[in-house]
Coordinates of all heavy atoms in Angstrom, one line a residue:
P20 N 84.5 -66.3 137.4 CA 83.7 -67.5 137.1 C 83.1 -68.1 138.4 O 83.6 -67.9 139.5 CB 84.7 -68.4 136.5 CG 86.0 -67.8 136.7 CD 85.9 -66.5 137.2
F21 N 82.0 -68.8 138.2 CA 81.4 -69.5 139.3 C 80.7 -70.7 138.8 O 80.5 -70.9 137.6 CB 80.4 -68.6 140.1 CG 79.2 -68.1 139.3 CD1 78.0 -68.8 139.4 CD2 79.2 -67.0 138.5 CE1 76.8 -68.4 138.7 CE2 78.1 -66.6 137.8 CZ 76.9 -67.3 137.9
T22 N 80.3 -71.6 139.7 CA 79.7 -72.9 139.4 C 78.3 -72.9 139.9 O 78.0 -72.5 141.1 CB 80.5 -74.0 140.0 OG1 81.8 -73.9 139.6 CG2 79.9 -75.4 139.6
A23 N 77.3 -73.4 139.1 CA 76.0 -73.6 139.5 C 75.6 -75.0 139.4 O 75.6 -75.6 138.3 CB 75.0 -72.7 138.7
K24 N 75.3 -75.6 140.6 CA 74.7 -77.0 140.5 C 73.2 -76.9 140.4 O 72.6 -76.2 141.2 CB 75.1 -77.7 141.8 CG 76.6 -78.0 142.0 CD 76.9 -78.7 143.2 CE 77.0 -80.2 143.0 NZ 77.6 -80.9 144.2
C25 N 72.7 -77.6 139.5 CA 71.2 -77.6 139.2 C 70.6 -78.8 139.7 O 70.8 -79.9 139.2 CB 71.0 -77.4 137.7 SG 71.9 -76.1 137.0
L26 N 69.8 -78.7 140.8 CA 69.4 -79.9 141.5 C 68.3 -80.7 140.7 O 68.3 -81.9 140.7 CB 68.8 -79.5 142.8 CG 69.8 -78.7 143.8 CD1 69.2 -78.5 145.1 CD2 71.1 -79.5 143.9
K27 N 67.4 -80.0 140.0 CA 66.3 -80.6 139.3 C 66.8 -81.4 138.1 O 66.5 -82.5 137.9 CB 65.3 -79.6 138.9 CG 63.9 -80.2 138.9 CD 62.8 -79.1 138.7 CE 62.5 -78.4 140.0 NZ 61.5 -77.3 139.7
S28 N 67.7 -80.8 137.3 CA 68.2 -81.4 136.1 C 69.4 -82.2 136.3 O 69.8 -83.0 135.4 CB 68.5 -80.3 135.0 OG 69.5 -79.4 135.5
G29 N 70.1 -82.1 137.4 CA 71.3 -82.8 137.7 C 72.5 -82.3 137.0 O 73.6 -83.0 137.0
K30 N 72.4 -81.2 136.4 CA 73.6 -80.6 135.6 C 74.4 -79.7 136.5 O 73.8 -79.0 137.4 CB 73.1 -79.9 134.4 CG 72.4 -80.7 133.3 CD 71.9 -79.9 132.2 CE 71.0 -80.7 131.3 NZ 71.6 -81.7 130.4
T31 N 75.7 -79.6 136.2 CA 76.5 -78.6 136.8 C 77.1 -77.7 135.7 O 77.6 -78.2 134.8 CB 77.7 -79.3 137.6 OG1 77.1 -80.1 138.6 CG2 78.6 -78.2 138.2
V32 N 76.9 -76.4 135.9 CA 77.3 -75.5 134.8 C 78.4 -74.5 135.4 O 78.3 -74.1 136.5 CB 76.2 -74.7 134.1 CG1 75.2 -75.6 133.5 CG2 75.5 -73.8 135.1
E33 N 79.4 -74.3 134.6 CA 80.5 -73.3 134.9 C 80.1 -72.1 134.1 O 79.8 -72.1 132.9 CB 81.8 -73.8 134.4 CG 82.3 -75.2 134.9 CD 82.7 -75.1 136.3 OE1 83.0 -74.0 136.8 OE2 82.6 -76.2 137.0
V34 N 80.1 -71.0 134.8 CA 79.7 -69.7 134.2 C 81.0 -68.8 134.2 O 81.5 -68.4 135.2 CB 78.6 -69.0 135.0 CG1 78.1 -67.7 134.3 CG2 77.4 -69.9 135.2
E35 N 81.4 -68.5 132.9 CA 82.6 -67.7 132.8 C 82.3 -66.2 132.9 O 81.1 -65.8 132.8 CB 83.2 -67.9 131.4 CG 83.6 -69.4 131.1 CD 84.6 -69.9 132.1 OE1 85.4 -69.1 132.6 OE2 84.6 -71.1 132.4
E36 N 83.3 -65.4 133.1 CA 83.2 -64.0 133.1 C 82.6 -63.6 131.7 O 83.0 -64.2 130.7 CB 84.5 -63.3 133.3 CG 85.2 -63.5 134.7 CD 84.3 -63.0 135.8 OE1 83.6 -62.0 135.6 OE2 84.3 -63.7 136.9
G37 N 81.7 -62.6 131.7 CA 81.2 -62.2 130.4 C 80.1 -63.1 129.9 O 79.6 -62.8 128.8
Q38 N 79.7 -64.1 130.6 CA 78.7 -65.0 130.2 C 77.6 -64.9 131.3 O 78.0 -64.9 132.5 CB 79.2 -66.4 130.1 CG 78.2 -67.5 129.7 CD 78.8 -68.9 129.8 OE1 79.6 -69.2 130.6 NE2 78.3 -69.7 128.9
S39 N 76.3 -65.0 131.0 CA 75.3 -65.0 132.0 C 75.0 -66.4 132.5 O 75.2 -67.4 131.7 CB 74.1 -64.3 131.5 OG 73.5 -65.1 130.5
L40 N 74.5 -66.5 133.7 CA 74.1 -67.9 134.2 C 73.0 -68.4 133.2 O 72.9 -69.5 132.9 CB 73.6 -67.8 135.6 CG 72.9 -69.0 136.2 CD1 73.7 -70.2 136.1 CD2 72.5 -68.7 137.6
L41 N 72.1 -67.5 132.9 CA 71.0 -67.8 131.9 C 71.6 -68.5 130.7 O 71.1 -69.6 130.2 CB 70.2 -66.6 131.5 CG 69.1 -66.8 130.5 CD1 68.0 -67.8 130.9 CD2 68.5 -65.5 130.1
Q42 N 72.6 -67.9 130.1 CA 73.2 -68.4 128.8 C 73.8 -69.8 129.1 O 73.7 -70.7 128.3 CB 74.2 -67.4 128.3 CG 74.6 -67.8 126.8 CD 73.4 -67.8 125.9 OE1 72.7 -66.9 125.8 NE2 73.2 -69.0 125.2
A43 N 74.5 -69.9 130.2 CA 75.2 -71.1 130.5 C 74.1 -72.3 130.7 O 74.4 -73.4 130.3 CB 76.0 -71.0 131.8
L44 N 73.0 -71.9 131.3 CA 71.9 -72.9 131.5 C 71.4 -73.3 130.2 O 71.2 -74.5 129.9 CB 70.8 -72.3 132.4 CG 71.2 -72.1 133.9 CD1 70.2 -71.3 134.6 CD2 71.4 -73.4 134.6
L45 N 71.1 -72.4 129.3 CA 70.5 -72.7 128.0 C 71.5 -73.5 127.2 O 71.1 -74.5 126.6 CB 70.2 -71.4 127.2 CG 69.1 -70.6 127.8 CD1 69.0 -69.2 127.1 CD2 67.7 -71.3 127.6
D46 N 72.8 -73.2 127.3 CA 73.9 -73.9 126.6 C 73.9 -75.4 127.1 O 74.2 -76.3 126.3 CB 75.2 -73.3 126.8 CG 75.4 -72.0 126.0 OD1 74.5 -71.7 125.2 OD2 76.4 -71.3 126.2
A47 N 73.6 -75.6 128.3 CA 73.7 -76.9 128.9 C 72.4 -77.7 128.7 O 72.2 -78.8 129.1 CB 73.9 -76.8 130.4
G48 N 71.4 -77.1 128.0 CA 70.2 -77.8 127.7 C 69.1 -77.7 128.8 O 68.2 -78.5 128.8
V49 N 69.3 -76.8 129.8 CA 68.3 -76.6 130.8 C 67.2 -75.7 130.3 O 67.5 -74.6 129.9 CB 68.9 -76.0 132.1 CG1 67.9 -75.8 133.2 CG2 70.1 -76.9 132.6
P50 N 66.0 -76.2 130.3 CA 64.9 -75.3 129.7 C 64.7 -74.1 130.6 O 64.5 -74.2 131.8 CB 63.7 -76.2 129.7 CG 64.0 -77.4 130.6 CD 65.5 -77.5 130.8
M51 N 64.8 -72.9 130.0 CA 64.6 -71.6 130.7 C 63.7 -70.7 129.9 O 63.9 -70.6 128.7 CB 66.0 -71.0 130.9 CG 67.0 -71.7 131.8 SD 66.4 -71.5 133.5 CE 66.5 -69.7 133.8
D52 N 62.8 -70.0 130.6 CA 62.1 -68.9 130.0 C 62.8 -67.6 130.3 O 63.4 -67.5 131.4 CB 60.7 -68.8 130.6 CG 59.8 -70.0 130.2 OD1 60.0 -70.5 129.1 OD2 59.0 -70.4 131.1
Y53 N 62.8 -66.7 129.3 CA 63.4 -65.4 129.6 C 62.8 -64.4 128.6 O 62.2 -64.8 127.6 CB 65.0 -65.5 129.4 CG 65.4 -65.9 128.0 CD1 65.8 -64.9 127.1 CD2 65.5 -67.2 127.7 CE1 66.2 -65.3 125.9 CE2 65.9 -67.6 126.4 CZ 66.3 -66.6 125.5 OH 66.7 -67.0 124.3
S54 N 63.1 -63.1 128.9 CA 62.5 -62.1 128.0 C 63.5 -60.9 127.9 O 64.2 -60.8 126.8 CB 61.2 -61.7 128.5 OG 60.7 -60.6 127.7
C55 N 63.6 -60.1 128.9 CA 64.4 -58.9 128.8 C 65.9 -59.1 128.7 O 66.6 -58.3 128.1 CB 64.0 -57.9 129.9 SG 64.7 -58.3 131.5
E56 N 66.4 -60.1 129.4 CA 67.8 -60.3 129.6 C 68.5 -59.1 130.2 O 69.7 -58.9 130.0 CB 68.5 -60.7 128.3 CG 68.1 -62.1 127.8 CD 68.8 -62.6 126.6 OE1 70.0 -63.0 126.8 OE2 68.3 -62.5 125.5
G57 N 67.8 -58.3 130.9 CA 68.4 -57.1 131.5 C 68.1 -56.9 133.0 O 68.3 -55.9 133.6
G58 N 67.5 -58.0 133.6 CA 67.3 -58.0 135.0 C 66.1 -57.2 135.5 O 66.0 -56.9 136.7
V59 N 65.1 -57.0 134.6 CA 63.9 -56.2 135.0 C 62.6 -57.0 135.0 O 61.7 -56.7 135.7 CB 63.8 -54.9 134.2 CG1 64.9 -53.9 134.6 CG2 63.7 -55.1 132.7
C60 N 62.5 -57.9 134.1 CA 61.1 -58.6 133.9 C 60.9 -59.7 134.9 O 59.7 -60.0 135.2 CB 61.0 -59.0 132.5 SG 61.9 -60.6 132.1
G61 N 61.9 -60.4 135.4 CA 61.7 -61.5 136.3 C 61.4 -62.8 135.7 O 61.3 -63.8 136.4
T62 N 61.3 -62.9 134.4 CA 61.0 -64.2 133.7 C 62.0 -65.3 134.0 O 61.6 -66.4 134.1 CB 60.9 -64.0 132.2 OG1 60.0 -62.8 131.9 CG2 60.2 -65.2 131.5
C63 N 63.2 -64.9 134.1 CA 64.3 -65.9 134.2 C 64.6 -66.3 135.7 O 65.7 -66.8 135.9 CB 65.6 -65.4 133.5 SG 66.2 -64.0 134.4
I64 N 63.7 -66.0 136.6 CA 63.9 -66.3 138.0 C 64.1 -67.8 138.2 O 63.5 -68.7 137.6 CB 62.7 -65.8 138.8 CG1 63.0 -65.8 140.3 CG2 61.5 -66.6 138.5 CD1 62.0 -65.1 141.1
V65 N 65.0 -68.2 139.2 CA 65.1 -69.6 139.6 C 65.2 -69.6 141.2 O 65.6 -68.6 141.8 CB 66.3 -70.3 139.0 CG1 66.3 -70.4 137.5 CG2 67.6 -69.6 139.5
P66 N 64.7 -70.7 141.7 CA 64.9 -70.9 143.2 C 66.3 -71.1 143.6 O 67.0 -71.9 143.0 CB 64.0 -72.1 143.5 CG 63.2 -72.4 142.3 CD 64.0 -71.8 141.2
L67 N 66.8 -70.3 144.6 CA 68.2 -70.4 145.1 C 68.1 -71.3 146.3 O 67.4 -71.0 147.2 CB 68.7 -69.0 145.4 CG 70.1 -68.9 146.1 CD1 71.2 -69.4 145.1 CD2 70.4 -67.5 146.5
V68 N 68.9 -72.4 146.3 CA 68.9 -73.3 147.4 C 70.0 -73.0 148.4 O 69.8 -73.1 149.6 CB 69.0 -74.8 146.8 CG1 69.0 -75.8 148.0 CG2 67.8 -75.1 145.9
S69 N 71.2 -72.8 147.8 CA 72.3 -72.5 148.7 C 73.4 -71.7 148.0 O 73.4 -71.7 146.8 CB 72.9 -73.8 149.3 OG 73.7 -74.4 148.3
G70 N 74.2 -71.0 148.8 CA 75.3 -70.3 148.2 C 75.1 -68.8 148.2 O 74.0 -68.3 148.5
E71 N 76.2 -68.1 148.0 CA 76.1 -66.6 148.0 C 76.0 -66.1 146.6 O 76.6 -66.5 145.7 CB 77.5 -66.1 148.6 CG 77.5 -64.6 148.9 CD 78.9 -64.2 149.3 OE1 79.6 -65.0 149.9 OE2 79.2 -63.0 149.2
V72 N 75.0 -65.1 146.5 CA 74.7 -64.5 145.2 C 74.9 -63.0 145.2 O 74.5 -62.4 146.2 CB 73.3 -64.9 144.7 CG1 72.9 -64.1 143.5 CG2 73.2 -66.4 144.4
E73 N 75.5 -62.5 144.2 CA 75.6 -61.1 144.0 C 74.4 -60.7 143.1 O 74.4 -61.0 141.9 CB 76.9 -60.8 143.2 CG 77.3 -59.4 143.1 CD 78.6 -59.2 142.3 OE1 79.2 -60.2 141.9 OE2 78.9 -58.0 142.0
H74 N 73.4 -60.1 143.8 CA 72.1 -59.8 143.1 C 72.3 -58.5 142.3 O 72.5 -57.4 142.9 CB 71.0 -59.7 144.1 CG 70.6 -61.0 144.7 ND1 69.8 -61.9 144.1 CD2 71.0 -61.5 145.9 CE1 69.6 -63.0 144.9 NE2 70.3 -62.8 146.0
L75 N 72.2 -58.5 141.0 CA 72.4 -57.4 140.1 C 71.1 -57.0 139.4 O 71.2 -56.1 138.5 CB 73.5 -57.7 139.1 CG 74.9 -58.0 139.8 CD1 75.8 -58.5 138.7 CD2 75.4 -56.8 140.5
D76 N 70.0 -57.6 139.8 CA 68.7 -57.3 139.1 C 68.0 -56.1 139.7 O 68.3 -55.7 140.8 CB 67.8 -58.6 139.1 CG 67.4 -58.9 140.6 OD1 68.2 -59.5 141.3 OD2 66.3 -58.5 141.0
E77 N 66.9 -55.7 139.0 CA 66.1 -54.7 139.5 C 64.7 -55.2 139.8 O 63.7 -54.5 139.8 CB 65.9 -53.6 138.4 CG 67.2 -53.1 137.8 CD 67.7 -51.9 138.5 OE1 66.9 -51.2 139.1 OE2 69.0 -51.7 138.5
F78 N 64.6 -56.5 139.9 CA 63.3 -57.2 140.1 C 63.0 -57.7 141.5 O 61.9 -57.4 142.0 CB 63.2 -58.3 139.1 CG 61.9 -59.1 139.1 CD1 60.8 -58.6 138.5 CD2 61.8 -60.3 139.8 CE1 59.6 -59.3 138.6 CE2 60.6 -61.0 139.9 CZ 59.5 -60.5 139.3
L79 N 63.9 -58.4 142.1 CA 63.6 -59.0 143.4 C 63.5 -58.0 144.5 O 64.3 -57.1 144.6 CB 64.7 -60.1 143.7 CG 64.8 -61.3 142.8 CD1 65.9 -62.2 143.3 CD2 63.5 -62.1 142.9
M80 N 62.6 -58.2 145.4 CA 62.6 -57.5 146.6 C 63.6 -58.1 147.6 O 64.0 -59.3 147.4 CB 61.2 -57.6 147.3 CG 60.0 -57.2 146.4 SD 60.1 -55.6 145.8 CE 59.3 -54.7 147.1
D81 N 64.1 -57.3 148.5 CA 65.2 -57.8 149.4 C 64.8 -59.1 150.1 O 65.7 -60.0 150.1 CB 65.5 -56.7 150.4 CG 66.4 -55.6 149.9 OD1 66.9 -55.8 148.8 OD2 66.5 -54.6 150.5
D82 N 63.6 -59.2 150.5 CA 63.2 -60.5 151.2 C 63.1 -61.7 150.3 O 62.9 -62.8 150.8 CB 62.0 -60.3 152.1 CG 60.7 -60.0 151.2 OD1 60.8 -59.8 150.0 OD2 59.6 -59.9 151.8
E83 N 63.1 -61.5 149.0 CA 63.0 -62.6 148.1 C 64.4 -63.1 147.7 O 64.5 -64.1 147.0 CB 62.3 -62.1 146.8 CG 60.9 -61.7 147.0 CD 60.2 -61.1 145.8 OE1 60.8 -60.3 145.1 OE2 59.1 -61.5 145.5
K84 N 65.4 -62.3 148.0 CA 66.8 -62.6 147.5 C 67.5 -63.8 148.2 O 68.4 -64.3 147.7 CB 67.7 -61.4 147.6 CG 67.2 -60.3 146.6 CD 68.1 -59.0 146.7 CE 67.6 -58.0 145.7 NZ 68.3 -56.7 145.8
E85 N 66.9 -64.1 149.4 CA 67.5 -65.3 150.1 C 67.2 -66.6 149.3 O 68.0 -67.5 149.4 CB 66.8 -65.4 151.5 CG 67.2 -64.3 152.4 CD 68.5 -64.5 153.1 OE1 68.7 -65.5 153.7 OE2 69.4 -63.7 152.8
T86 N 66.1 -66.6 148.6 CA 65.7 -67.9 148.1 C 65.4 -67.9 146.6 O 64.8 -68.8 146.0 CB 64.4 -68.4 148.8 OG1 63.4 -67.3 148.7 CG2 64.6 -68.8 150.2
N87 N 65.8 -66.8 145.9 CA 65.6 -66.7 144.5 C 66.8 -66.0 143.9 O 67.5 -65.2 144.5 CB 64.3 -65.9 144.1 CG 63.1 -66.5 144.7 OD1 62.5 -67.4 144.1 ND2 62.6 -66.0 145.9
M88 N 67.0 -66.2 142.5 CA 67.9 -65.3 141.8 C 67.5 -65.1 140.4 O 66.7 -66.0 139.8 CB 69.3 -65.9 141.9 CG 69.7 -67.0 141.0 SD 71.4 -67.5 141.2 CE 72.3 -66.2 140.3
I89 N 67.9 -64.0 139.8 CA 67.6 -63.7 138.4 C 68.8 -64.0 137.6 O 69.8 -63.4 137.7 CB 67.3 -62.1 138.4 CG1 66.0 -61.8 139.2 CG2 67.1 -61.7 136.9 CD1 64.7 -62.4 138.7
T90 N 68.6 -65.0 136.7 CA 69.8 -65.7 136.1 C 70.4 -64.8 134.9 O 71.5 -65.1 134.5 CB 69.4 -67.0 135.5 OG1 68.3 -66.9 134.6 CG2 69.0 -68.0 136.7
C91 N 69.7 -63.9 134.4 CA 70.3 -63.1 133.3 C 71.3 -62.1 133.7 O 72.2 -61.8 132.9 CB 69.2 -62.5 132.4 SG 68.3 -61.2 133.3
V92 N 71.3 -61.7 134.9 CA 72.3 -60.7 135.4 C 73.0 -61.0 136.6 O 74.1 -60.6 136.8 CB 71.6 -59.3 135.5 CG1 71.2 -58.7 134.2 CG2 70.5 -59.3 136.5
S93 N 72.4 -61.8 137.6 CA 73.0 -62.0 138.9 C 74.0 -63.1 138.8 O 73.9 -64.0 138.0 CB 71.9 -62.2 139.9 OG 71.1 -61.1 140.1
R94 N 75.0 -63.1 139.7 CA 76.1 -64.0 139.7 C 76.3 -64.7 141.0 O 76.2 -64.0 142.0 CB 77.4 -63.3 139.2 CG 77.2 -62.5 137.9 CD 78.5 -62.0 137.3 NE 79.3 -63.1 136.8 CZ 79.1 -63.6 135.6 NH1 78.1 -63.3 134.8 NH2 79.9 -64.6 135.2
G95 N 76.7 -65.9 141.0 CA 77.1 -66.6 142.2 C 78.5 -66.3 142.6 O 79.3 -65.8 141.8
V96 N 78.8 -66.6 143.8 CA 80.2 -66.5 144.3 C 80.7 -67.9 144.7 O 80.1 -68.5 145.5 CB 80.2 -65.6 145.6 CG1 81.6 -65.5 146.1 CG2 79.7 -64.2 145.3
G97 N 81.7 -68.4 143.9 CA 82.1 -69.7 144.2 C 81.2 -70.8 143.6 O 81.0 -70.9 142.4
E98 N 80.5 -71.5 144.5 CA 79.5 -72.5 144.0 C 78.1 -72.2 144.6 O 78.0 -71.9 145.8 CB 80.0 -73.9 144.4 CG 79.1 -75.0 143.9 CD 79.7 -76.4 144.1 OE1 80.8 -76.6 143.7 OE2 79.0 -77.1 144.9
I99 N 77.1 -72.3 143.8 CA 75.8 -72.1 144.3 C 74.9 -73.3 143.9 O 75.3 -74.0 142.9 CB 75.1 -70.8 143.8 CG1 75.0 -70.8 142.2 CG2 75.9 -69.6 144.2 CD1 74.2 -69.7 141.7
E100 N 73.8 -73.5 144.5 CA 72.8 -74.5 144.1 C 71.5 -73.9 143.8 O 71.0 -73.1 144.6 CB 72.6 -75.5 145.2 CG 73.8 -76.4 145.5 CD 73.5 -77.4 146.6 OE1 73.0 -77.0 147.7 OE2 73.7 -78.6 146.4
I101 N 71.0 -74.2 142.6 CA 69.7 -73.7 142.2 C 68.8 -74.8 141.8 O 69.3 -75.9 141.5 CB 69.8 -72.7 141.0 CG1 70.6 -73.3 139.8 CG2 70.5 -71.4 141.4 CD1 70.7 -72.5 138.6
D102 N 67.5 -74.6 141.9 CA 66.6 -75.7 141.7 C 65.9 -75.7 140.3 O 64.8 -75.4 140.2 CB 65.5 -75.7 142.8 CG 64.8 -77.1 142.9 OD1 65.4 -78.1 142.5 OD2 63.7 -77.1 143.5
V103 N 66.8 -75.9 139.3 CA 66.3 -76.0 137.9 C 66.8 -77.3 137.3 O 67.7 -77.9 137.8 CB 66.7 -74.8 137.0 CG1 66.0 -73.6 137.4 CG2 68.2 -74.7 137.0
Ligands
FES11 FE1 64.1 -60.5 132.3 FE2 66.0 -62.0 133.3 S1 65.0 -62.2 131.4 S2 64.9 -60.4 134.3

């Protein structure tokens, strides 16, 4: 499990094992666009502000991973901050 603090919406979501960050955000009422839910289309991208992320997508280039994450497949470690 990990925690995502959402700076724009002011929400903090807990993401359990077996649940995606995307799903946790949608459940919390954070408006999110998405399509493939498989880490390839890039629609569910969010700006990453701080924290360590395990990037599991096939979309981001290495130099984009410092400041972005793909919420349908990638996971935070501990606590992360995203700008949604
Ligand atoms: Fe396609 Fe997340 S919805 S990459």
Side-chain angles (χ1 to χ4, degrees):
F21 64 97
T22 302
K24 295 181 91 168
C25 305
L26 301 186
K27 209 172 278 177
S28 62
K30 295 179 193 287
T31 298
V32 300
E33 304 287 338
V34 186
E35 301 301 331
E36 295 300 327
Q38 179 188 35
S39 67
L40 172 55
L41 173 64
Q42 192 58 56
L44 291 168
L45 291 169
D46 288 351
V49 177
M51 290 291 298
D52 290 329
Y53 61 97
S54 177
C55 73
E56 292 185 77
V59 293
C60 74
T62 310
C63 66
I64 193 171
V65 297
L67 175 65
V68 177
S69 74
E71 187 183 336
V72 168
E73 191 182 353
H74 291 279
L75 300 170
D76 64 279
E77 311 269 334
F78 178 80
L79 291 177
M80 308 299 274
D81 281 344
D82 65 355
E83 298 173 313
K84 292 179 178 173
E85 291 281 299
T86 53
N87 299 277
M88 76 179 288
I89 296 296
T90 56
C91 64
V92 292
S93 296
R94 307 191 70 80
V96 178
E98 183 173 300
I99 62 172
E100 289 182 309
I101 54 178
D102 200 22
V103 290

